[in-house]
Amino acid sequence: MSAIRSKGALIPFQAASGGLMLLIVAAMAFLACFALAGALATTRIASTWTEGLAGAATVRIDANEDDRARRTSLVLDILRDTEGITDARALNERDVADLLTPWFGGIPDLGELPAPGIVAVTLDAENEPDPTVVQARLDGAGAGAIYDDHGRWRGKAAKAARAIGNLSWWALGLTALAIAASVFLVISIAMVAHKGTIEALRLAGAEDRFVANLYQKRFFWVGALGGLIGSGLALAAFVGLDALSSVRAALPMLDAPYYWPFAWLGIILTCALVALLAARLAVLATLRRRG
Amino acid sequence: MIQFENVGFRYKRGPEVLQSVDLEIPAGSFQFITGESGAGKSSLLRLLYLDAMPSSGRISLFGRDVTTLTRDEIAWFRRRIGVVFQDFRLLDHLSAAENVALPLTVAGAREAAYRDNVTEMLQWVGLGDKMEVRPPELSGGEKQRVAIARAVVASPDIILADEPTGSVDPAMAERIMALFVEMNRLGKTVLFASHDLAMIEQYKLPITTLRGGTVASGMGAAA
């Protein structure tokens, strides 16, 4: 006697429904990869911005040319004498011109612009001074200077990046939900076609979980294969984007982060597990509804 | 082992197809259930293989009130009941051998453990040469025999047969009857529903007659 078929063959799955599901999961996995890239990139950008701006402050000295040197010297004395400040350095005309270049283009003679004096301050990252205390000391000495530790910028930048990151995570969650809903729908339709088979299995003593296992096993592999195809295409798209240096400069997440292989595997596994769980829930719900 | 107490049954909101049925079938007995078409034979069997629950009254099976069984318990109870359906209910996408193996497969048995048993069972019903054939290619009588082999392959405690000789010639009917009698000798409880009184009366075994959904004669008949 030849081999009696495995449990998987007990349900006569149609190739068409499997192909349709594969296409849906592959498309969702492709979109999920971009959502994940968005989430990871914004998280990374947020930390880069906050880390970049942390540990540094600037002091702006609004004074005319005659008084600027005296006030700058006064500000430097106060700052160097403040706990939590490790260095303070007055920027020369060239440094200030460089700072303004992105907005005004090359500036041959800064003297023509009413540019303020700038002092770059390096902070002790472990023990940053209270900005209000520093400002009070500058005001008390009559330095006519404004202390800025970039706190407002840091907060806004991080908040914006976090908001975009959260949206990306939501998009990822919705993609998973769409896969689950598609599996649910496909299985509900398939179970109508398989009604006679399921009835025969149940009358032979099959528990609900036995029937659910037949479907979930099949849809786990459909999910995994769909995830592999979709994420593979997304990966190819990323490689293509990476090859474009202009895109690479604009999107720092493309700088070959170590987590891409894990993220890729994560997408495939998530597609497979979401399909498996949705299949199980769909079968159990349908069987209970039928009574 | 099987006890019906004042059992009534109706399909949804329809009229009662079984009314006030009282039955007590001891373990290891052989019982014919007879009656005309529509008398309630198939409905009675349906209640026994737990495909439906009584609308009124109480059915006790293996010492349990069937209405208290959970979904899992119903599945486990069904493994102790082999059923030969009037319409066979074979799976067309599986071979004869795979159909026969179904109760063993769903019970989690491994193929290596039951392969010989399935082969032997199909040889027993005279289909040893049709193990790989699918039901659409089998005759009515052959399908009937595959259904019988499937019903008994897991050695259930109770065997329910709904008109199992309906689609076979007299010689094969006699052979099938002999199979059921043999199963009963092995200690199985057999309930055999048939409207073929002439065939039934040859066997001198207990007969319960249903008429209009009630027990008209035999075990549990109103005095």
Side-chain angles (χ1 to χ4, degrees), chain A residues 20-73:
Chain A
L20 176 70
M21 205 54 242
L22 195 67
L23 188 71
I24 292 171
V25 176
M28 293 298 172
F30 185 79
L31 296 175
C33 281
F34 280 92
L36 182 65
L40 294 175
T42 45
T43 306
R44 195 153 167 246
I45 287 168
S47 68
T48 304
W49 283 351
T50 48
E51 279 166 19
L53 291 172
T58 49
V59 176
R60 195 181 82 220
I61 303 159
D62 293 321
N64 58 37
E65 195 104 12
D66 304 336
D67 202 21
R68 186 175 295 164
R70 183 188 69 81
R71 288 196 183 191
T72 302
S73 171

Side-chain angles (χ1 to χ4, degrees), chain A residues 142-200:
Chain A
I146 308 293
Y147 178 82
D148 181 6
D149 70 345
H150 314 135
R152 206 165 52 132
W153 261 104
R154 262 192 286 175
K156 277 185 177 174
K159 202 172 165 183
R162 266 198 304 273
I164 296 168
N166 285 341
L167 274 177
S168 301
W169 288 115
W170 272 103
L172 205 61
L174 285 174
T175 310
L177 202 64
I179 292 175
S182 307
V183 169
F184 210 95
L185 187 67
V186 166
I187 284 190
S188 300
I189 295 166
M191 284 182 76
V192 173
H194 300 153
K195 197 174 176 186
T197 304
I198 292 167
E199 199 56 26

Side-chain angles (χ1 to χ4, degrees), chain B:
Chain B
M1 177 191 271
I2 301 171
Q3 199 169 24
F4 278 52
E5 289 173 48
N6 200 28
V7 169
F9 176 61
R10 67 174 82 235
Y11 290 94
K12 292 183 180 169
R13 288 169 186 267
E16 273 199 322
V17 290
L18 289 176
Q19 299 146 35
S20 308
V21 173
D22 288 305
L23 274 178
E24 195 166 320
I25 300 164
S29 63
F30 192 119
Q31 183 80 38
F32 282 115
I33 311 283
T34 188
E36 292 173 356
S37 255
K41 302 187 296 292
S42 297
S43 298
L44 189 137
L45 293 186
R46 206 175 153 202
L47 289 173
L48 278 173
Y49 60 75
L50 307 170
D51 193 31
M53 288 293 152
S55 314
S56 58
R58 182 176 183 272
I59 298 174
S60 172
L61 197 59
F62 304 119
R64 287 281 304 274
D65 179 348
V66 296
T67 56
T68 65
L69 297 175
T70 63
R71 289 178 70 84
D72 277 350
E73 283 172 334
I74 286 174
W76 301 333
F77 269 46
R78 281 176 176 157
R79 291 180 194 175
R80 299 176 67 184
I81 304 168
V83 188
V84 183
F85 298 98
Q86 199 170 2
D87 56 356
F88 321 128
R89 302 207 191 173
L90 299 177
L91 298 180
D92 287 349
H93 63 286
L94 301 182
S95 68
E98 287 161 352
N99 268 289
V100 171
L102 204 59
L104 301 164
T105 311
V106 300
R110 284 189 306 179
E111 189 210 327
Y114 62 66
R115 191 185 297 148
D116 293 345
N117 193 10
V118 169
T119 307
E120 192 182 322
M121 201 55 65
L122 274 165
Q123 283 167 348
W124 188 50
V125 294
L127 293 172
D129 57 338
K130 301 221 168 166
M131 294 194 8
E132 301 307 318
V133 180
R134 292 178 190 213
E137 297 159 46
L138 295 171
S139 69
E142 288 169 336
K143 284 181 192 172
Q144 187 74 282
R145 283 182 277 156
V146 172
I148 291 167
R150 182 184 61 186
V152 300
V153 73
S155 193
D157 297 315
I158 299 173
I159 299 165
L160 308 175
D162 194 0
E163 305 280 1
T165 53
S167 354
V168 294
D169 57 53
M172 182 50 70
E174 207 169 303
R175 204 165 141 194
I176 287 172
M177 266 311 299
L179 290 180
F180 284 104
V181 170
E182 175 64 19
M183 291 306 291
N184 179 238
R185 280 206 192 103
L186 291 171
K188 313 296 179 193
T189 307
V190 179
L191 266 80
F192 192 111
S194 173
H195 66 275
D196 187 352
L197 261 181
M199 190 267 294
I200 286 173
E201 282 170 348
Q202 293 173 34
Y203 289 90
K204 314 286 182 211
L205 287 164
I207 302 172
T208 293
T209 306
L210 292 176
R211 191 170 299 134
T214 55
V215 178
S217 65
M219 197 177 285

Side-chain angles (χ1 to χ4, degrees), chain A residues 6-23:
Chain A
S6 66
K7 285 182 200 168
L10 291 178
I11 302 281
F13 289 109
Q14 297 295 314
S17 66
L20 176 70
M21 205 54 242
L22 195 67
L23 188 71

